[in-house]
Amino acid sequence: MIAIFLGPPGAGKGTQSSRIAARHGVPQISTGDMLRQAAAEGTPLGLRARKIMEAGELLPDDVIVDLIRERISRPDCAAGFLLDGFPRTSGQAEALDRMLAERGLSVDAVVNLDVDEGKLIERMAGRAKNEGRADDNPETIRERLRVYREKTAPLVSWFEKKGRLVTVDGLGEIGEVSRRIEEALGSRNGGTRTAGALS
Ligand code: AMP
């Protein structure tokens, strides 16, 4: 299964995609995590990424697309993968389509996690306390939401037109949201997969 987790910052893409990935035995690929790791290691890419992340802006498409191209060509991606935080622009979405087409692959589903904006701000403020993410301060949160609306939100209708979008209510208990996602993925695949017991 190749699936994309789409949604504004704070919608729960990371939490949900890692749960669903573990359940399906495929890797979760988070460009944000990859960049944070590079920043912690102090690599040239990491140092560049840190400044951009702290400002709440996006890295250039070519940099991110190169990261993804290398990552999805590793053997652990042979049976599929879940993308968390990529694509975030129409340029990235088109590049992904091309990359997959070259390998005879395509995206099976795009999970759009829908959460009201007031709730997002609340969640990110909570995350700032618990995880200490440098980009979870009020000013950067506002900018990340603005960038989401401008650059990423248009992908929702782009994927909808391609018939691959499932929108899931991202509000609620973590296990309940996971169950909704599994159900939506199952019905997209002909309804053969059951939601199973997710705690
Ligand atoms: P995330 O953990 O997905 O919220 O990503 C944290 C930050 O990493 C974002 O605010 C961007 O600065 C950067 N980033 C992550 N993914 C991408 C992407 N696909 N394109 C550009 N920048 C990204």
Side-chain angles (χ1 to χ4, degrees):
M1 172 175 63
I2 298 178
I4 295 170
F5 278 67
L6 202 64
K13 296 186 297 293
T15 304
Q16 292 299 338
S17 59
S18 70
R19 287 170 63 91
I20 306 290
R23 201 154 174 273
H24 289 260
V26 294
Q28 171 221 25
I29 300 177
S30 157
T31 41
D33 284 350
M34 290 165 84
L35 295 171
R36 276 185 289 277
Q37 191 183 339
E41 287 167 358
T43 64
L45 166 67
L47 297 179
R48 183 178 179 197
R50 177 178 291 155
K51 285 201 194 93
I52 297 174
M53 291 165 86
E54 282 177 1
E57 307 300 334
L58 298 182
L59 276 95
D61 284 352
D62 58 340
V63 173
I64 296 289
V65 167
D66 283 351
L67 266 185
I68 289 287
R69 180 180 292 110
E70 192 278 325
R71 181 65 188 87
I72 66 174
S73 62
R74 292 195 210 160
D76 65 336
C77 290
F81 46 86
L82 302 189
L83 294 169
D84 159 21
F86 176 91
R88 258 178 157 97
T89 66
S90 54
Q92 293 178 15
E94 282 159 12
L96 175 66
D97 259 2
R98 281 195 299 274
M99 256 187 281
L100 294 178
E102 279 164 19
R103 297 169 161 79
L105 301 169
S106 63
V107 173
D108 298 303
V110 180
V111 177
N112 177 34
L113 277 178
D114 189 30
V115 178
D116 151 90
E117 195 161 303
K119 193 75 195 167
L120 294 174
I121 294 173
E122 213 177 276
R123 276 194 189 173
M124 283 189 278
R127 191 165 67 180
K129 271 203 207 96
N130 299 331
E131 295 173 24
R133 263 181 67 157
D135 59 350
D136 277 342
N137 63 77
E139 199 183 315
T140 312
I141 288 172
R142 264 196 302 278
E143 180 59 10
R144 286 162 66 207
L145 285 169
R146 190 195 66 74
V147 169
Y148 169 78
R149 280 193 295 268
E150 182 187 316
K151 306 242 168 87
T152 311
L155 296 183
V156 173
S157 53
W158 196 77
F159 284 120
E160 197 166 27
K161 281 193 201 103
K162 289 178 171 262
R164 287 183 276 184
L165 194 80
V166 293
T167 293
V168 173
D169 179 5
L171 256 194
E173 197 260 320
I174 290 175
E176 173 55 29
V177 176
S178 301
R179 263 188 292 275
R180 288 179 205 147
I181 294 172
E182 287 291 1
E183 214 174 278
L185 290 175
S187 58
R188 255 211 114 262
N189 293 333
T192 46
R193 195 185 298 128
T194 55
L198 271 168
S199 59

